Amino acid sequence: MSIAYNEAAKTITIQTVETEYQMAIDRYGCLRHVYYGRTVGGEDLRELHRSYDRGFSGSPYRAGSDRAYSLDTVCQEFSSCGVGDFRVPSLGVQNADGSRCAELRYVSHEIRAGKYSLPGLPAAWDPDGSAETLEIILRDPVTGLTVRLLYGVFPERNVITRTAIYENGGAEPIVLEKAGSVCLELPFGSWDLLHFHGRHCLERKPERLPVMNGVQTVGSRRGMSSHEHNPFLILCDRQATEDHGECIGLMYLWSGSFRAEVEREQFGSVRAVLSPGDESFRWTLAPGERFAAPEVLLSRAEGLTRLSQQFHRMVRENVCRGEYRLAHRPVLINSWEAAYFDIRADRILDLARRAADLGMELFVLDDGWFHGRTDDNAGLGDWFENREKLPEGLDSLIRGIRETGLLFGLWVEPEMVSENSDLYRAHPDWALAVPDRAPMLGRNQLVLDLSRREVQDYIIEAMSGLLERYDISYVKWDFNRSVSDLYSHTLPAERQGEAGHRYVLGLYRVLETLTARFPGVLFEGCSGGGGRFDAGMLYYTPQIWCSDDTDPIERLTIQGGTSYGYPISTMGAHVSASPNHQTGRTTPLQTRGYVAMSGAFGYELDLAKLSEGELEEIRHQIQHFRQDEALLQQGLYYRLDEFTEAQDASAWLFVSEDRSRALLNVVVRSPHANAPLIHLKLKGLDPDARYAMEEDDAVRSGAALMYGGYTLPQLIGDYPAVQLHLKKID
Ligand code: DGJ
């Protein structure tokens, strides 16, 4: 068992292959956090936590003269609120008497085989049955509020999942004003916070800051996880590098608004709390009712690279589901940057024929195909074909595309509605809007109220209708605005604070139903690119369009930032036109190909505009991709920018698990005259083995490549790139 309880010491210890997590029930019934870090072989570390009588940190009444004991200074597994801990609380409550206190005391715990599940929410799953569950019950003795802390232990992955289920065990209603999923205390050390921020067209840019005294908060109030802040963060030792130092990651399986708070308190201890929703979140728990907070993946490793690799494996194998989780994904051609709204059957068929001829496998008909959709001002909600654009109908177009040998995929944006649509005219109250207030428009569209069951059912049936009627193998599920004007006509006034959360639960129900009903369909998530790129969505859609910025040089930052937490197989990445439509930059096709291959690979450009030479190059790119696909999608990923930053270049490496193959990628971000040599040290190879490099026929040892390194030939021109293949020969 990886979870052990010591009755005499009242300690609970979780062990994974390389990490250890310790907690203890103290003399006043508080569940204390003791340790999370590298494994210490089960040695009791409670003595690390000494306590003194500290001014202005009072003691619980029942502690009497034990003045050294204060909830304000002890490390807690799940911090209480309003009863003497002045740090970031894990929860917020308003009790029936108006008080805002909850003191959570240990009641019991249970250890069981298998991983708990969270009905209605995305949660890591356990295909090989090696996970275990720890459930700890805490209760406020006055109101009866019960918090069940759940821990799912994946020993081989070095991952512990966590969440909290709130239950009203009293006789009066309790309003949750904050319902944290996880509280993590790091009592010692100097920590940096590495988080991933950005904007539309520049998502998940890493920013590393010292954890300051006070509270640093990242989060979203947009009803979606957002382009602006990703629900994934890393706390690492201030000295930590790619290869060394304590690194702890927290990844939220949640796609709505969220708050991640990191506090360094007066004595230097750090606490991180992740909770769903923003300041407007409220959830009323009537007696006997429950609220399940979304799940968090917690992982710890030595160095950022190893931490990323742990998350990659966990997300790929234990978060993503469905037939495409580990399988070959079809190389696709997407119509968006090729045609935008100018969808015409002859043009689309021509694009499909050209794509099939080059070896592509799937045609994705993006926005613009449906009723009333001539631009982005109308049509959303009316999910049937635009007869003006497709006079022979969608069915005939799909047949034509299928005859080229390609599979067919379709773009939809089912959570939205245009005012100028039949759906809106029939159900204006289905759109989110506050009574007597004109709602915000985003891209001239409104958001459907997915907290309502009938709206969920409508979307399920509308999408099922499409998937049943047509030969569709892939769906791109888009979502193109932030959510505002949260008000649901089906909720009473005192429950309106639940609307945003219920929206996301509604979305999950829709996606769960559709992915179960159509298991053979590959779903790709999208939100104006990567505005909802999170592990919650990845539970339903094993790939997500990474960004609306397809410029390969910008993509180095976007995909590189995304790689800290999310695997390559999840990042939709396409070769697009040059000059690029977002930046106007001209880049070589080779560079665009190498960057897009480090993702869920595809193309998105008008093939009719390419020269014979370019078409031939694409044909070869696809062949090369197929040869390297397993390595790219499932190999161990190493960021090598530490070696190339000074030369304005980016480098990254894939190494197969058995270390027999490796693929080095280098792209020059900004070419300079008389530039210094690019020299880098490879990682993850077998030092005693010999590797042949396909590109120069030379043989070198793993040790030479890792310790001596490799110096690249001179790279000049517009944003040049190289890919070098290594194969173990003995
Ligand atoms: C935003 C997506 O990110 C794009 O790829 C494209 O599908 C457009 N929406 C279509 O409106």
Side-chain angles (χ1 to χ4, degrees):
M1 287 298 262
S2 5
I3 308 168
Y5 176 58
N6 180 326
E7 174 69 55
K10 296 211 175 328
T11 54
I12 304 175
T13 304
I14 298 173
Q15 287 180 318
T16 69
V17 172
E18 288 164 9
T19 69
E20 191 159 321
Y21 194 106
Q22 295 186 10
M23 12 184 169
I25 303 136
D26 75 14
R27 57 194 181 280
Y28 300 112
C30 173
L31 183 67
R32 303 267 289 263
H33 178 76
V34 176
Y35 176 73
Y36 182 40
R38 193 183 187 130
T39 188
V40 292
E43 186 136 338
D44 186 344
L45 292 180
R46 280 178 301 165
E47 65 163 26
L48 299 179
H49 299 260
R50 296 183 192 275
S51 56
Y52 303 93
D53 177 4
R54 301 200 185 260
F56 292 87
S57 293
S59 315
Y61 197 82
R62 66 185 184 289
S65 57
D66 190 356
R67 288 178 41 160
Y69 185 89
S70 172
L71 291 176
D72 196 27
T73 55
V74 297
C75 281
Q76 295 171 60
E77 195 50 28
F78 206 74
S79 54
S80 300
C81 59
V83 291
D85 177 352
F86 300 96
R87 297 165 289 177
V88 167
S90 303
L91 76 167
V93 293
Q94 185 178 12
N95 300 314
D97 62 4
S99 64
R100 291 191 138 78
C101 314
E103 189 193 344
L104 299 173
R105 293 194 209 157
Y106 170 87
V107 176
S108 63
H109 75 271
E110 189 185 299
I111 298 168
R112 47 181 190 263
K115 161 73 175 34
Y116 65 85
S117 59
L118 291 173
L121 280 169
W125 60 295
D126 176 26
D128 60 10
S130 59
E132 286 166 32
T133 292
L134 166 66
E135 179 169 340
I136 305 175
I137 297 182
L138 309 178
R139 184 169 300 137
D140 177 63
V142 177
T143 62
L145 176 67
T146 299
V147 180
R148 289 172 192 271
L149 300 183
L150 286 166
Y151 300 75
V153 185
F154 289 79
E156 300 293 326
R157 302 272 183 270
N158 290 312
V159 169
I160 300 172
T161 68
R162 288 191 53 181
T163 194
I165 296 182
Y166 297 78
E167 217 174 281
N168 185 348
E172 305 281 354
I174 298 171
V175 179
L176 293 173
E177 297 184 328
K178 175 181 184 184
S181 296
V182 67
C183 170
L184 179 68
E185 306 259 32
L186 302 168
F188 310 111
S190 299
W191 296 90
D192 278 352
L193 168 65
L194 178 56
H195 72 110
F196 303 89
H197 72 113
R199 55 179 184 263
H200 178 225
C201 285
L202 189 62
E203 299 90 337
R204 293 171 298 286
K205 198 173 167 196
E207 181 175 48
R208 183 168 171 173
L209 303 161
V211 173
M212 65 173 203
N213 292 303
V215 185
Q216 276 149 298
T217 306
V218 293
S220 161
R221 297 186 184 90
R222 296 173 182 275
M224 60 204 273
S225 46
S226 89
H227 304 83
E228 204 171 345
H229 290 292
N230 194 262
F232 171 61
L233 43 112
I234 296 174
L235 289 158
C236 59
D237 186 284
R238 198 145 300 159
Q239 312 301 327
T241 62
E242 285 287 358
D243 302 313
H244 302 289
E246 189 81 22
C247 297
I248 293 175
L250 297 111
M251 180 176 283
Y252 220 174
L253 277 79
W254 181 241
S255 313
S257 297
F258 72 98
R259 255 183 295 180
E261 297 159 288
V262 178
E263 176 171 23
R264 186 167 194 272
E265 50 83 93
Q266 53 188 328
F267 306 111
S269 181
V270 170
R271 172 182 288 174
V273 172
L274 261 66
S275 49
D278 56 25
E279 304 83 353
S280 65
F281 171 88
R282 297 281 180 287
W283 193 281
T284 303
L285 281 181
E289 278 184 354
R290 280 182 165 209
F291 173 87
E295 184 170 276
V296 173
L297 306 182
L298 198 62
S299 194
R300 182 267 167 208
E302 194 65 22
L304 293 163
T305 297
R306 180 96 177 102
L307 186 74
S308 298
Q309 291 172 352
Q310 288 178 181
F311 275 110
H312 290 180
R313 183 148 222 178
M314 185 71 193
V315 171
R316 208 167 51 220
E317 298 190 16
N318 302 85
V319 173
C320 294
R321 300 175 301 165
E323 289 178 12
Y324 282 97
R325 178 173 72 113
L326 303 173
H328 163 74
R329 312 266 174 88
V331 175
L332 63 83
I333 173 89
N334 179 296
S335 68
W336 181 241
E337 289 196 18
Y340 293 102
F341 290 105
D342 189 13
I343 301 292
R344 279 178 281 120
D346 53 345
R347 185 173 182 190
I348 293 299
L349 272 173
D350 179 66
L351 186 60
R353 281 193 200 102
R354 289 171 194 271
D357 178 56
L358 297 176
M360 298 179 201
E361 296 157 285
L362 166 72
F363 188 94
V364 179
L365 185 61
D366 208 281
D367 199 351
W369 62 269
F370 50 97
H371 181 69
R373 192 70 164 172
T374 41
D375 56 25
D376 60 6
N377 283 308
L380 293 168
D382 295 345
W383 299 111
F384 45 92
E385 73 260 53
N386 186 320
R387 281 280 173 178
E388 278 152 39
K389 292 184 183 189
L390 305 173
E392 308 290 321
L394 184 58
D395 200 30
S396 148
L397 178 67
I398 296 175
R399 250 182 286 115
I401 290 174
R402 296 286 290 119
E403 274 161 21
T404 68
L406 297 184
L407 298 168
F408 178 76
L410 194 62
W411 178 97
V412 287
E413 193 177 358
E415 298 161 69
M416 300 289 165
V417 65
S418 304
E419 280 180 293
N420 183 9
S421 67
D422 293 351
L423 180 68
Y424 185 77
R425 282 182 281 274
H427 300 284
D429 64 309
W430 281 11
L432 286 172
V434 181
D436 302 326
R437 235 176 244 282
M440 180 190 96
L441 292 173
R443 219 188 184 200
N444 207 21
Q445 64 201 44
L446 298 171
V447 186
L448 289 174
D449 178 3
L450 265 79
S451 72
R452 292 171 68 161
R453 188 90 180 179
E454 66 270 43
V455 176
Q456 299 162 21
D457 290 342
Y458 151 76
I459 295 178
I460 290 169
E461 292 322 316
M463 292 304 114
S464 295
L466 287 174
L467 293 169
E468 277 155 10
R469 204 169 323 129
Y470 302 113
D471 185 0
I472 296 175
S473 307
Y474 160 109
V475 168
K476 181 173 172 188
W477 188 286
D478 209 344
F479 177 86
N480 281 305
R481 56 160 284 185
S482 306
V483 183
S484 62
D485 303 277
L486 274 167
Y487 181 91
S488 179
H489 290 279
T490 51
L491 291 172
E494 68 278 11
R495 282 191 178 264
Q496 288 297 332
E498 299 175 15
H501 194 89
R502 288 186 184 275
Y503 179 99
V504 184
L505 297 183
L507 169 66
Y508 289 156
R509 175 175 168 256
V510 168
L511 291 172
E512 181 66 39
T513 310
L514 289 172
T515 49
R517 217 177 256 184
F518 302 97
V521 174
L522 170 60
F523 284 82
E524 174 157 355
C526 178
S527 170
R532 208 162 54 180
F533 199 115
D534 57 68
M537 285 305 288
L538 288 171
Y539 184 70
Y540 306 99
T541 67
Q543 61 189 57
I544 298 176
W545 181 227
C546 208
S547 177
D548 271 351
D549 187 347
T550 58
D551 177 311
I553 304 306
E554 301 254 274
R555 277 290 183 123
L556 295 173
T557 306
I558 297 165
Q559 294 174 206
T562 308
S563 79
Y564 281 84
Y566 304 99
I568 297 302
S569 59
T570 63
M571 302 181 205
H574 301 167
V575 172
S576 63
S578 178
N580 177 266
H581 290 191
Q582 292 80 43
T583 61
R585 192 194 326 250
T586 304
T587 52
L589 184 51
Q590 189 177 53
T591 303
R592 285 175 272 151
Y594 291 166
V595 174
M597 273 179 214
S598 289
F601 185 45
Y603 290 80
E604 187 165 335
L605 72 174
D606 189 351
L607 298 173
K609 292 193 176 140
L610 300 187
S611 67
E612 275 309 314
E614 287 172 314
L615 294 173
E616 206 41 40
E617 193 175 335
I618 289 181
R619 198 187 305 281
H620 282 116
Q621 248 171 19
I622 294 170
Q623 282 162 6
H624 274 130
F625 169 72
R626 291 229 176 82
Q627 281 158 20
D628 293 332
E629 186 178 0
L631 182 57
L632 287 160
Q633 304 294 326
Q634 278 154 46
L636 294 169
Y637 179 86
Y638 294 85
R639 287 174 293 270
L640 300 178
D641 280 356
E642 67 201 87
F643 301 109
T644 54
E645 239 155 22
Q647 287 91 339
D648 262 347
S650 256
W652 66 101
L653 173 75
F654 298 92
V655 181
S656 61
E657 292 264 353
D658 65 0
R659 301 191 288 181
S660 67
R661 295 186 63 203
L663 177 59
L664 174 65
N665 298 266
V666 183
V667 176
V668 177
R669 287 169 173 266
S670 178
H672 296 290
N674 198 21
L677 293 173
I678 297 181
H679 168 265
L680 36 82
K681 293 181 173 175
L682 275 63
K683 297 182 180 182
L685 303 178
D686 175 355
D688 302 322
R690 298 179 66 72
Y691 291 87
M693 186 179 284
E694 205 178 279
E695 285 70 18
D696 70 0
D697 284 340
V699 172
R700 303 169 179 88
S701 71
L705 288 161
M706 291 197 294
Y707 314 142
Y710 179 76
T711 303
L712 274 101
Q714 191 185 18
L715 294 172
I716 54 167
D718 276 343
Y719 309 99
V722 285
Q723 254 191 357
L724 300 172
H725 294 77
L726 292 161
K727 202 167 174 187
K728 189 169 168 177
I729 49 168
D730 54 49

